[in-house]
Amino acid sequence: MALRITIDETDFKALVQEIESQEGYRKPIGFGIARVDRGQLSPEKILQASFPVVNWNENFGSAAILIAALQESGVDVDFTSSEFVYDVKKKFVKNAMNAFTPYLNLALGEAHKNVQVIKTLDWIAQTEKLKKDYRIVFIFEDDAPLSPEAVYLKLYALSTGKAPIRSLNLSGAFGVLENVAWSLGQPIELEWLRMHEIEMKLLGEYPLIESVDKFPRFLSHIIPADNTRILDASKVRMGAQLHAGTTIMPGASYVNFNAGTTGAVMVEGRISSSVVVGKGSDVGGGASILGVLSGTNGNPVSIGENTLLGANSVTGIPLGNGCIVDAGIAILEGTKVGVNAGELAKIIEANPKAKLKKAGKEEMVFLKGLELAGLHGVHFRQNSMNGMIIATRSKREIKLNSELH
Amino acid sequence: MALRITIDETDFKALVQEIESQEGYRKPIGFGIARVDRGQLSPEKILQASFPVVNWNENFGSAAILIAALQESGVDVDFTSSEFVYDVKKKFVKNAMNAFTPYLNLALGEAHKNVQVIKTLDWIAQTEKLKKDYRIVFIFEDDAPLSPEAVYLKLYALSTGKAPIRSLNLSGAFGVLENVAWSLGQPIELEWLRMHEIEMKLLGEYPLIESVDKFPRFLSHIIPADNTRILDASKVRMGAQLHAGTTIMPGASYVNFNAGTTGAVMVEGRISSSVVVGKGSDVGGGASILGVLSGTNGNPVSIGENTLLGANSVTGIPLGNGCIVDAGIAILEGTKVGVNAGELAKIIEANPKAKLKKAGKEEMVFLKGLELAGLHGVHFRQNSMNGMIIATRSKREIKLNSELH
Amino acid sequence: MALRITIDETDFKALVQEIESQEGYRKPIGFGIARVDRGQLSPEKILQASFPVVNWNENFGSAAILIAALQESGVDVDFTSSEFVYDVKKKFVKNAMNAFTPYLNLALGEAHKNVQVIKTLDWIAQTEKLKKDYRIVFIFEDDAPLSPEAVYLKLYALSTGKAPIRSLNLSGAFGVLENVAWSLGQPIELEWLRMHEIEMKLLGEYPLIESVDKFPRFLSHIIPADNTRILDASKVRMGAQLHAGTTIMPGASYVNFNAGTTGAVMVEGRISSSVVVGKGSDVGGGASILGVLSGTNGNPVSIGENTLLGANSVTGIPLGNGCIVDAGIAILEGTKVGVNAGELAKIIEANPKAKLKKAGKEEMVFLKGLELAGLHGVHFRQNSMNGMIIATRSKREIKLNSELH
């Protein structure tokens, strides 16, 4: 069987509706076609998946066509699993070309990118075999990913900003991915290196290895916005999300997967996994924001807008907008922070919804870091005359996030 | 018209004098010929300029010849602008060859490098078109640079040590340079990557991107001295200046443009833009020296000679020779620093010109960081028994900079 | 003369015994055959040595054969020097092939790796000249290395884990190695770059330089264990030792040569030269462990098992098992650390062999960092109410190292 040629947009939509109305059909949360790098020794292992286009909660019509193109080429698409992954074959491409006929000439530039992918595959298939190089992936349920292709699709959804940080289920992703050597962006099995070490070293052909990791680098897959800067590709793992205008300096900075920025942010420090930093904030040189796996008792840290983390400071609690953590100090959940009555009143004024009690006339109350979590306009510092960690009302402007307020 | 062949050095000098005496002629502050990388989509955009030789307040005779070689090939050199940039064409090269005739056979090794450039261009022009690949740049006035070529020439003047750090006007340089992806040292327009993403990813031809930035890396343009070490090229931005013998470790270090060292320095921390560090000093692992854009109220920080910044310390004030900032502490302009009367007397003795008042018999005076700025022989530490930041007379030798004293 | 063909294992062993019984014969501590990169301008300079296999206190039979293969090809092997290095020539390879005859067909995979090296050299020699590309190295005495080949062999012994960290004499290694530019893993003399700068830049052929250093990167020579991760090759110098399961994050981390881990360790900070970190420990983001050259008065620092160094902390003393250094604090040899009587008793209980005196009823005693060096189960923190650095009994489990206890 073959998927039919559609003659115009109306006909295309009719076909989509026909496909979607089939028994058991499910619209995928995400889908895409990837070129995959397979193991040199174990070709059944997928070492990397490069998606030219990813779809996340969008383009359901294209998804229907691609599903039908698989079905009509004899593949039994299983809608009951959380994900479905299959090889891209010539018959499938031909089916998709048929169904996409009205769009073939329109698929250029930013338009109809999924159709562009099919056209390019059709063009490749005319001159060479598709072999096992391409895989199509559908995610029907945001469960723990079962395949490297599904992990990559989720990392792409995060890194393209199509899915918010922390919104996806990545449980077990580390177990699904292979740990490989990366040479000029290409993954190599470590065991293959071992098998060929003697020969390659003696012939002077040992490859340049830039990293050994389960994850590739962000810049090997993602093209950032024109005003985003990443001064060292090693500093941003695939799966990180960097909002336009973000700058990642090369000193002590790092952005892990499932972490990043939601506005233009200057980053000279570490944004651990699960951390989100808001617009206009500044993560100073060497500053560390702790992740769920490193000292926050599992509470993910969000940093608001227009907040400054000083050089070599450490933050283990969420912070609101317009805060300052002074250079060199550490504010953790259990840190006792002195606040005098006057400053406390000002902090409460800036945070009307916070559950803070005003202090009496006593000079100073001590609050735990966790009690100050998420507040706006707080300046954390260490009194250099007596070593006390204190909080005052910061002089930074508290910019409100119009999307949140 | 053509520039004439000169027959010997005397004749050459006569020609130079003739050129320099023309109405309106100005000797350029800096000049050079660069090979340029142009935009893949917008060839009018200069993405990078590689200078084999830069001249800064030197070689005015060669400058005169190159200017006349342009003029005689029909180019109207505008001396009234702060800079002049033009394509290098075959006629220009021929003119310069003529005028440089007495030096053609002498231009080897370290001798007559500008003539070597012209000879090489002449050799290239014999086998291929020069196209739009080469640009000649003259800077007549140290104004804000107007072109990428002028920005690069100034960055070269800094990075080759021909112009002191902070001595050049780089206002607006960020606006003049394009933000591009760097792949094996070559700049690529982000929009070009976007246009070819589908095709390149499906064909497995997506380039390795090592950074996205307006600036290239120092080591893509500058050959350091034999005893200089840079363990990771991403750590030093083009426009930085590293004196011979400087070592840049790969941990948390970074040297921004218009910043660097004026002697052999061990660098394991961050040297922000505008910061200068003197001979024999040690910027410890993760130490941060704040730049004019990061917490110093616009006061650029100089660190003297033989000064030690401990691991993870933060310095926001200038320091003299023979100082120590202990590991993990932060000395900012507003930090209150306790000094007891005895130590203050010793500090004053080591800094006879400083405007410090001796303390009375009271135990301790508190000075702001800014009041201690630039002093020699001060040891900053935190008393671990009571948390007080204190300053004492350091036991480090205060080596005097013979050039400054 | 030629080394004879051996007919079986018994014959081979007889030959080995014959060789070893010669007058003056010494078994080498280490040996191996390397492909070398020589200076572009000074081919007598060895810029890099790549060993496909290294032997360290092992495989003495193979060593005997290789020594005899040299001798029978006319080389006078000097057993009186601490090391012996010689070019690998076709005659030598033929001799070794003869003697290794019983093993030629067995030398595959993990078996008989030295024989695999000889077989590969024999195969190479059949199609091309061996030129000066290969060197054989024997180390007879662990003295200061005299040649780059011997330095590399020792670095390999450390990085493959065949020799413990700090166990080898590397005195003067810096003086023996050349400082070179590294381009895609290949070393280039700086002077060669200078000589060709004009031509290469004008032709657009200037090489990508990733570092300038005497040492190559660990990942250019060593294939780590399957569960080891190194997210940025620049972070680990050749000569470092990383136990299986160690992860090196790309933020502020670094592992110098002759330093590393003896178990699975999470590394987000700096492991300076001579530092050893034990199983299950965590070097937090930006944490610095001082090396013998940076603030420890020459005492190398060992960190035990299951110990946590908080983000941006600094450690200048050895620590035992199950310790915690809180984020952002510095514990140096001279740091005065407050311990109250109750906690001191618990620390003494956890460290029965330590030479600590119990405190009386007084609230607090102050011990220097050095007095607490190497203890198990100590939690270092700063009291955020009064700035005092204190030590308490940590709640971490003290796992004992079965090899040490």
Side-chain angles (χ1 to χ4, degrees):
Chain A
M1 284 178 298
L3 203 56
R4 69 180 170 84
I5 294 173
T6 66
I7 56 172
D8 59 14
E9 194 167 335
T10 309
D11 189 29
F12 177 85
K13 287 185 176 170
L15 177 59
V16 167
Q17 203 160 2
E18 189 184 312
I19 298 164
E20 289 183 339
S21 62
Q22 70 177 268
E23 174 85 20
Y25 183 88
R26 289 172 81 187
K27 291 185 180 178
I29 299 169
F31 68 95
I33 293 174
R35 181 185 173 101
V36 292
D37 294 306
R38 291 174 176 277
Q40 290 79 12
L41 296 176
S42 309
E44 75 282 4
K45 289 186 185 167
I46 301 294
L47 307 186
Q48 181 175 223
S50 298
F51 288 88
V53 175
V54 291
N55 304 271
W56 202 260
N57 286 321
E58 62 189 330
N59 301 324
F60 297 109
S62 292
I65 296 301
L66 296 176
I67 285 172
L70 275 178
Q71 291 172 322
E72 295 298 318
S73 69
V75 178
D76 182 20
V77 176
D78 178 5
F79 296 103
T80 66
S81 178
S82 57
E83 63 187 62
F84 184 81
V85 189
Y86 208 81
D87 282 335
V88 168
K89 296 186 179 168
K90 198 167 181 173
K91 187 79 191 295
F92 158 82
V93 175
K94 183 81 183 92
N95 281 340
M97 285 291 281
N98 284 353
F100 283 135
T101 299
Y103 302 99
L104 293 179
N105 290 329
L106 303 172
L108 292 167
E110 290 304 303
H112 304 292
K113 290 220 157 193
N114 287 305
V115 181
Q116 291 182 46
V117 169
I118 294 296
K119 278 170 66 179
T120 307
L121 286 169
D122 183 60
W123 170 69
I124 291 171
Q126 286 169 27
T127 57
E128 50 180 304
K129 292 226 169 192
L130 296 179
K131 292 178 288 188
K132 296 265 188 183
D133 285 351
Y134 304 97
R135 299 277 278 174
I136 185 164
V137 192
F138 299 94
I139 295 179
F140 294 112
E141 196 76 47
D142 185 20
D143 284 351
L146 305 172
S147 63
E149 295 93 332
V151 172
Y152 269 84
L153 185 55
K154 288 187 173 184
L155 297 177
Y156 265 89
L158 289 166
S159 287
T160 56
K162 293 185 180 225
I165 300 164
R166 291 186 210 142
S167 70
L168 300 183
N169 186 338
L170 286 161
S171 305
F174 271 88
V176 171
L177 299 180
E178 299 289 326
N179 194 43
V180 293
W182 297 89
S183 177
L184 299 176
Q186 295 304 302
I188 304 176
E189 286 175 297
L190 294 165
E191 189 57 27
W192 185 89
L193 282 180
R194 283 183 206 114
M195 281 182 58
H196 295 83
E197 182 179 11
I198 291 174
E199 183 184 322
M200 292 192 299
K201 280 191 172 169
L202 289 177
L203 290 171
E205 294 173 355
Y206 194 79
L208 182 77
I209 308 297
E210 60 244 13
S211 65
V212 172
D213 191 19
K214 297 191 165 212
F215 289 77
R217 292 171 174 176
F218 179 90
L219 282 178
S220 292
H221 290 271
I222 304 295
I223 305 167
D226 283 332
N227 59 345
T228 298
R229 286 176 233 156
I230 300 172
L231 274 72
D232 179 4
S234 75
K235 296 297 192 183
V236 186
R237 225 179 195 177
M238 182 61 185
Q241 183 173 121
L242 301 183
H243 194 280
T246 294
T247 294
I248 311 292
M249 297 297 280
S253 59
Y254 178 53
V255 188
N256 211 333
F257 76 99
N258 199 25
T261 66
T262 57
V265 172
M266 167 59 74
V267 181
E268 306 196 58
R270 289 172 292 280
I271 297 181
S272 305
S273 192
S274 76
V275 170
V276 180
V277 182
K279 184 172 63 175
S281 288
D282 187 329
V283 182
S288 265
I289 311 173
L290 302 187
V292 285
L293 300 173
S294 50
T296 71
N297 290 321
N299 301 318
V301 171
S302 298
I303 304 296
E305 302 186 358
N306 197 31
T307 277
L308 170 66
L309 307 183
N312 290 341
S313 65
V314 179
T315 299
I317 59 166
L319 298 176
N321 301 328
C323 293
I324 301 174
V325 178
D326 266 12
I329 71 169
I331 305 297
L332 306 178
E333 292 193 352
T335 306
K336 285 171 195 143
V337 181
V339 197
N340 75 32
E343 294 296 328
L344 184 57
K346 289 185 209 167
I347 290 171
I348 290 172
E349 190 185 358
N351 295 276
K353 294 179 185 168
K355 292 172 185 166
L356 288 172
K357 285 186 200 162
K358 282 196 183 177
K361 298 215 170 180
E362 65 267 52
E363 279 283 277
M364 195 67 94
V365 294
F366 287 93
L367 300 172
K368 286 202 169 183
L370 202 52
E371 297 177 88
L372 294 162
L375 299 186
H376 302 298
V378 180
H379 186 167
F380 294 92
R381 58 212 329 180
Q382 184 171 32
N383 183 324
S384 67
M385 297 168 73
N386 63 19
M388 188 190 291
I389 299 287
I390 57 172
T392 59
R393 176 69 177 84
S394 77
K395 288 167 186 158
R396 286 218 142 195
E397 190 186 348
I398 300 171
K399 287 188 187 160
L400 291 176
N401 184 337
S402 56
E403 292 168 27
L404 295 177
H405 297 269
Chain B
M1 285 178 299
L3 203 56
R4 70 179 170 84
I5 294 172
T6 67
I7 56 172
D8 60 15
E9 194 166 337
T10 309
D11 189 28
F12 176 85
K13 287 186 174 168
L15 176 58
V16 167
Q17 202 159 4
E18 188 185 315
I19 296 164
E20 290 183 339
S21 62
Q22 70 178 268
E23 174 85 22
Y25 183 88
R26 291 172 81 188
K27 291 184 179 177
I29 299 169
F31 68 95
I33 293 174
R35 180 184 173 103
V36 293
D37 293 305
R38 290 173 176 277
Q40 290 79 11
L41 296 175
S42 309
E44 76 281 3
K45 290 186 185 166
I46 302 295
L47 307 187
Q48 181 174 224
S50 297
F51 288 88
V53 176
V54 292
N55 303 273
W56 202 259
N57 287 320
E58 62 188 330
N59 301 323
F60 297 110
S62 293
I65 296 301
L66 296 176
I67 285 172
L70 274 178
Q71 291 172 323
E72 294 298 319
S73 68
V75 178
D76 182 19
V77 176
D78 179 5
F79 295 103
T80 66
S81 177
S82 57
E83 62 187 62
F84 184 80
V85 189
Y86 207 82
D87 282 335
V88 167
K89 295 186 179 168
K90 197 166 183 174
K91 187 78 191 296
F92 158 83
V93 174
K94 183 82 184 91
N95 281 339
M97 286 290 283
N98 284 353
F100 282 134
T101 299
Y103 302 99
L104 294 179
N105 290 330
L106 304 172
L108 291 166
E110 289 304 303
H112 304 292
K113 290 221 157 192
N114 287 306
V115 181
Q116 291 182 46
V117 169
I118 293 297
K119 278 171 66 179
T120 307
L121 287 169
D122 183 60
W123 171 70
I124 292 172
Q126 286 170 27
T127 56
E128 50 179 306
K129 292 227 167 190
L130 296 178
K131 292 180 289 186
K132 296 265 186 182
D133 285 351
Y134 303 96
R135 300 276 279 174
I136 184 164
V137 192
F138 299 94
I139 294 179
F140 294 112
E141 194 78 46
D142 184 21
D143 284 352
L146 305 172
S147 62
E149 295 93 331
V151 172
Y152 269 84
L153 185 54
K154 287 186 173 184
L155 297 178
Y156 265 88
L158 289 166
S159 286
T160 55
K162 294 185 178 226
I165 300 165
R166 290 186 210 143
S167 71
L168 300 183
N169 186 338
L170 285 162
S171 305
F174 271 87
V176 170
L177 299 181
E178 299 289 325
N179 194 43
V180 293
W182 297 90
S183 177
L184 300 175
Q186 295 304 301
I188 305 176
E189 285 173 298
L190 294 166
E191 188 57 26
W192 185 89
L193 282 181
R194 284 183 206 113
M195 281 182 59
H196 295 82
E197 183 180 10
I198 292 174
E199 185 184 320
M200 292 192 299
K201 280 191 173 169
L202 289 177
L203 290 171
E205 294 173 353
Y206 194 79
L208 182 76
I209 308 297
E210 60 243 14
S211 65
V212 173
D213 190 20
K214 296 190 166 211
F215 289 76
R217 294 171 173 176
F218 179 89
L219 282 178
S220 292
H221 290 272
I222 304 296
I223 305 167
D226 282 331
N227 59 345
T228 297
R229 286 177 234 154
I230 300 173
L231 274 71
D232 178 5
S234 75
K235 295 297 194 183
V236 187
R237 225 179 195 175
M238 182 60 186
Q241 185 174 121
L242 301 183
H243 194 279
T246 294
T247 294
I248 311 292
M249 298 296 281
S253 60
Y254 178 54
V255 188
N256 210 334
F257 75 99
N258 199 25
T261 66
T262 57
V265 173
M266 168 57 74
V267 181
E268 305 196 58
R270 290 171 291 280
I271 298 182
S272 306
S273 192
S274 77
V275 170
V276 181
V277 182
K279 184 173 64 175
S281 288
D282 186 330
V283 182
S288 265
I289 312 173
L290 302 187
V292 286
L293 300 173
S294 50
T296 70
N297 291 321
N299 301 319
V301 170
S302 298
I303 304 296
E305 301 185 358
N306 197 31
T307 278
L308 170 66
L309 307 183
N312 290 340
S313 66
V314 179
T315 300
I317 60 166
L319 299 176
N321 301 328
C323 293
I324 300 174
V325 179
D326 266 12
I329 70 169
I331 305 297
L332 307 178
E333 292 193 352
T335 306
K336 283 170 195 145
V337 181
V339 197
N340 75 31
E343 294 295 331
L344 184 56
K346 290 185 207 165
I347 291 170
I348 290 171
E349 190 185 359
N351 295 275
K353 294 179 185 168
K355 291 170 185 166
L356 287 173
K357 284 184 201 162
K358 283 195 181 176
K361 300 214 169 182
E362 68 266 55
E363 279 282 277
M364 196 67 95
V365 293
F366 286 93
L367 300 171
K368 287 201 168 184
L370 202 53
E371 297 176 89
L372 295 162
L375 298 186
H376 302 300
V378 181
H379 185 168
F380 295 92
R381 57 209 332 178
Q382 185 171 30
N383 182 324
S384 67
M385 296 168 73
N386 61 20
M388 188 189 291
I389 299 287
I390 58 173
T392 58
R393 176 69 176 82
S394 77
K395 288 166 186 160
R396 286 218 142 194
E397 191 186 347
I398 300 172
K399 287 186 186 159
L400 292 176
N401 183 337
S402 56
E403 292 168 29
L404 295 176
H405 296 269
Chain C
M1 285 177 300
L3 204 55
R4 68 179 171 84
I5 293 174
T6 66
I7 54 172
D8 59 15
E9 195 167 335
T10 309
D11 189 28
F12 177 85
K13 286 185 175 169
L15 177 58
V16 166
Q17 203 160 4
E18 188 183 314
I19 296 164
E20 289 183 340
S21 62
Q22 69 179 270
E23 173 86 21
Y25 183 87
R26 290 172 80 188
K27 291 185 181 178
I29 299 169
F31 68 96
I33 294 175
R35 180 184 172 102
V36 293
D37 295 305
R38 291 173 175 276
Q40 291 79 12
L41 295 175
S42 309
E44 76 281 5
K45 290 187 185 166
I46 302 294
L47 307 186
Q48 183 176 222
S50 298
F51 288 88
V53 176
V54 292
N55 303 272
W56 202 260
N57 287 321
E58 62 188 330
N59 301 323
F60 297 110
S62 293
I65 297 299
L66 296 176
I67 285 172
L70 274 177
Q71 291 171 324
E72 295 299 317
S73 69
V75 178
D76 182 18
V77 176
D78 178 5
F79 296 101
T80 66
S81 178
S82 56
E83 63 188 61
F84 185 79
V85 189
Y86 207 81
D87 283 333
V88 167
K89 296 185 180 168
K90 198 167 179 171
K91 187 78 189 297
F92 158 83
V93 175
K94 184 81 183 91
N95 281 339
M97 285 290 283
N98 284 353
F100 282 134
T101 299
Y103 303 99
L104 293 179
N105 291 330
L106 304 172
L108 292 166
E110 290 302 303
H112 303 292
K113 290 220 158 192
N114 287 305
V115 181
Q116 291 181 46
V117 169
I118 292 297
K119 277 170 68 180
T120 308
L121 286 169
D122 182 60
W123 171 70
I124 292 171
Q126 285 171 27
T127 57
E128 51 181 304
K129 292 226 168 191
L130 295 179
K131 291 180 289 189
K132 296 265 187 182
D133 285 350
Y134 304 96
R135 300 276 278 174
I136 185 164
V137 192
F138 300 93
I139 295 180
F140 295 112
E141 196 77 46
D142 184 21
D143 283 352
L146 305 171
S147 62
E149 295 92 333
V151 172
Y152 269 85
L153 185 55
K154 288 187 173 184
L155 297 178
Y156 265 88
L158 289 166
S159 286
T160 55
K162 294 185 178 223
I165 301 166
R166 293 187 208 142
S167 70
L168 299 183
N169 186 340
L170 286 161
S171 305
F174 272 88
V176 171
L177 299 180
E178 299 289 325
N179 194 42
V180 293
W182 297 89
S183 178
L184 300 176
Q186 295 304 302
I188 305 175
E189 285 175 298
L190 294 165
E191 189 56 25
W192 186 89
L193 282 181
R194 283 182 206 113
M195 281 182 58
H196 295 84
E197 182 179 12
I198 292 174
E199 185 184 319
M200 291 193 298
K201 281 191 172 170
L202 289 177
L203 290 170
E205 294 172 354
Y206 194 79
L208 182 76
I209 308 298
E210 61 243 14
S211 65
V212 173
D213 191 19
K214 297 189 165 213
F215 289 77
R217 293 170 174 177
F218 178 91
L219 282 179
S220 292
H221 291 272
I222 304 295
I223 304 168
D226 282 332
N227 59 346
T228 298
R229 287 177 233 155
I230 300 172
L231 275 71
D232 178 5
S234 74
K235 296 297 193 182
V236 186
R237 225 179 195 176
M238 182 59 186
Q241 183 174 122
L242 301 184
H243 194 279
T246 294
T247 293
I248 311 293
M249 298 295 281
S253 59
Y254 179 53
V255 188
N256 211 334
F257 75 99
N258 199 23
T261 66
T262 56
V265 173
M266 167 59 73
V267 181
E268 305 195 59
R270 289 172 291 282
I271 297 181
S272 305
S273 193
S274 77
V275 170
V276 180
V277 182
K279 183 173 65 173
S281 288
D282 186 329
V283 182
S288 266
I289 311 173
L290 302 188
V292 285
L293 300 173
S294 49
T296 69
N297 292 320
N299 300 319
V301 171
S302 298
I303 304 296
E305 302 186 357
N306 197 31
T307 277
L308 169 66
L309 307 183
N312 290 340
S313 65
V314 179
T315 300
I317 59 165
L319 299 176
N321 300 329
C323 292
I324 300 173
V325 179
D326 266 12
I329 71 170
I331 305 297
L332 307 178
E333 292 193 353
T335 306
K336 285 171 195 143
V337 181
V339 196
N340 74 33
E343 294 296 329
L344 184 55
K346 291 185 207 167
I347 291 171
I348 290 172
E349 190 186 357
N351 294 275
K353 295 179 184 169
K355 293 172 184 166
L356 287 173
K357 285 186 200 162
K358 282 196 185 178
K361 299 214 171 182
E362 66 267 53
E363 279 284 277
M364 194 68 94
V365 293
F366 286 93
L367 301 171
K368 287 202 170 183
L370 202 52
E371 297 177 88
L372 295 161
L375 298 187
H376 301 300
V378 181
H379 185 167
F380 295 92
R381 56 209 334 179
Q382 185 170 32
N383 182 324
S384 66
M385 296 169 74
N386 63 18
M388 189 189 292
I389 298 287
I390 58 173
T392 59
R393 175 69 176 83
S394 76
K395 289 167 185 158
R396 287 218 141 195
E397 190 186 349
I398 300 172
K399 288 187 187 160
L400 291 176
N401 183 337
S402 55
E403 292 169 28
L404 295 176
H405 296 269

